[in-house]
Amino acid sequence: MILIVFLISCKEEKTFADDIVLSFPKEEKLTFQEFNEATEEYEKSIMYVGKDTSIINVKYFRIPPLPVASNYKLSSSYIQKQKLISNCFNGPFDRMKYSNKSILFDSLSENNIEISIKIKDTIPHYAYNNQTKELKKYKAFPTFIKNISGKKLILPEFKNFPIAFLNKQNKWQIIRNDNFLILDNGNWKHRYWEFNPNEIMVFSVNFLDGKEKGKFKVLIGNTSSEEFEMNYAKKTIDYQRDINIVK
């Protein structure tokens, strides 16, 4: 009897994400995203927001393409590109709204969201490279956020969520798989969407490649996921544009 109780207590605690099934072709060949490879990729890592989470297709929201004139003849390469995109991407994130005034966004913390990651699961993160005209399929793991606040949360537009690395000084340092500079025109302060009570957001986080092994966590607002181990390359840490430390 004591043994049974002990075994039950050692089981991992069930989370809201355990029953969510992510659907995608299992035979696809996935690769690690290389450092600075995403320079010409504009897709987001979010694949779903809502309450019906029984089965979710791994298809990502993307930035809408420029409009095409009605009298413009579409090339075969453009048609092929759209076919690739329709298989791997949703349309634009249609919940975005625009305000003439700057928005006061809600701060995400353990008080209003619950986070669950599945580091042992590998899913594809699709991205279309506008320079090479290639569809990339990266190795990623799923991350889930649930609104537990009981109210609508006003949030900015997300592209990808950063990860933090426990560095040699035993401090959590923000790590991105690139060191290029993104110019800010301030429009993000006017674009917002509403994350409703009990809704779940599903997105992916790319695995890093390398021979080193370290501790990481996914950063979401003023909170983060549980810690996890992942491989990484030393140059990824050394080549960061800035050193940003978080608590």
Side-chain angles (χ1 to χ4, degrees), residues 172-190:
W172 290 102
Q173 177 184 344
I174 294 178
I175 296 296
R176 292 182 172 84
N177 204 18
D178 62 70
N179 60 3
F180 54 83
L181 180 65
I182 300 176
L183 298 178
D184 177 19
N185 59 12
N187 282 340
W188 67 273
K189 298 176 183 178
H190 298 266

Side-chain angles (χ1 to χ4, degrees), residues 30-48:
L30 307 180
T31 62
F32 288 105
Q33 184 187 56
E34 297 180 5
F35 190 77
N36 273 348
E37 188 174 8
T39 306
E40 294 295 327
E41 297 170 0
Y42 302 104
E43 280 72 38
K44 309 175 191 304
S45 63
I46 296 178
M47 67 188 80
Y48 179 81

Side-chain angles (χ1 to χ4, degrees), residues 1 22 57 94 99 106 131 173:
M1 185 69 175
L22 300 180
N57 292 322
D94 58 5
S99 171
D106 284 306
Q131 188 174 42
Q173 177 184 344

Side-chain angles (χ1 to χ4, degrees), residues 8-242:
I8 291 174
S9 65
C10 288
K11 288 184 177 179
E12 292 184 3
E13 185 177 349
K14 185 177 177 65
T15 74
F16 70 92
D18 287 347
D19 296 327
I20 298 176
V21 176
L22 300 180
S23 176
F24 58 92
K26 300 301 188 292
E27 70 280 359
E28 288 190 319
K29 183 178 179 181
L30 307 180
T31 62
F32 288 105
Q33 184 187 56
E34 297 180 5
F35 190 77
N36 273 348
E37 188 174 8
T39 306
E40 294 295 327
E41 297 170 0
Y42 302 104
E43 280 72 38
K44 309 175 191 304
S45 63
I46 296 178
M47 67 188 80
Y48 179 81
V49 178
K51 294 182 179 180
D52 183 10
T53 55
S54 52
I55 299 179
I56 296 174
N57 292 322
V58 179
K59 296 177 68 173
Y60 295 90
F61 293 106
R62 69 188 317 268
I63 297 173
L66 295 174
V68 178
S70 58
N71 60 347
Y72 181 78
K73 185 177 180 180
L74 300 178
S75 65
S76 58
S77 61
Y78 181 87
I79 295 173
Q80 180 63 23
K81 172 185 173 181
Q82 295 308 308
K83 184 178 180 180
L84 282 174
I85 287 174
S86 65
N87 290 333
C88 302
F89 300 102
N90 297 305
F93 190 48
D94 58 5
R95 298 178 65 158
M96 294 304 306
K97 299 179 181 180
Y98 186 84
S99 171
N100 290 326
K101 298 180 179 179
S102 295
I103 294 296
L104 181 63
F105 300 110
D106 284 306
S107 177
L108 298 181
S109 71
E110 66 274 8
N111 297 321
N112 54 26
I113 61 170
E114 183 178 350
I115 306 169
S116 178
I117 63 173
K118 295 185 179 180
I119 191 65
K120 295 181 180 179
D121 294 350
T122 299
I123 63 171
H125 181 191
Y126 302 119
Y128 187 83
N129 191 299
N130 289 281
Q131 188 174 42
T132 64
K133 311 302 181 185
E134 292 179 285
L135 176 66
K136 311 297 289 190
K137 301 177 182 180
Y138 298 125
K139 292 183 178 180
F141 63 88
T143 300
F144 308 83
I145 303 176
K146 185 175 183 179
N147 181 353
I148 60 172
S149 69
K151 67 174 185 178
K152 290 183 179 180
L153 298 175
I154 308 301
L155 304 180
E157 185 174 16
F158 297 123
K159 185 177 186 290
N160 296 306
F161 289 91
I163 55 177
F165 167 71
L166 190 62
N167 63 23
K168 292 181 179 180
Q169 289 73 42
N170 206 35
K171 294 182 179 180
W172 290 102
Q173 177 184 344
I174 294 178
I175 296 296
R176 292 182 172 84
N177 204 18
D178 62 70
N179 60 3
F180 54 83
L181 180 65
I182 300 176
L183 298 178
D184 177 19
N185 59 12
N187 282 340
W188 67 273
K189 298 176 183 178
H190 298 266
R191 293 169 60 81
Y192 72 98
W193 63 283
E194 297 173 343
F195 191 26
N196 296 316
N198 296 315
E199 281 192 324
I200 293 173
M201 184 193 317
V202 186
F203 62 95
S204 66
V205 176
N206 288 341
F207 283 107
L208 297 178
D209 189 21
K211 297 180 180 180
E212 308 291 334
K213 187 175 288 291
K215 291 183 178 181
F216 294 83
K217 56 185 180 180
V218 182
L219 298 178
I220 302 167
N222 292 323
T223 187
S224 62
S225 71
E226 62 189 58
E227 297 177 20
F228 59 91
E229 282 196 344
M230 178 169 60
N231 284 17
Y232 70 96
K234 187 175 181 297
K235 70 174 184 179
T236 302
I237 310 300
D238 294 340
Y239 294 172
Q240 293 292 303
R241 186 180 70 250
D242 302 306

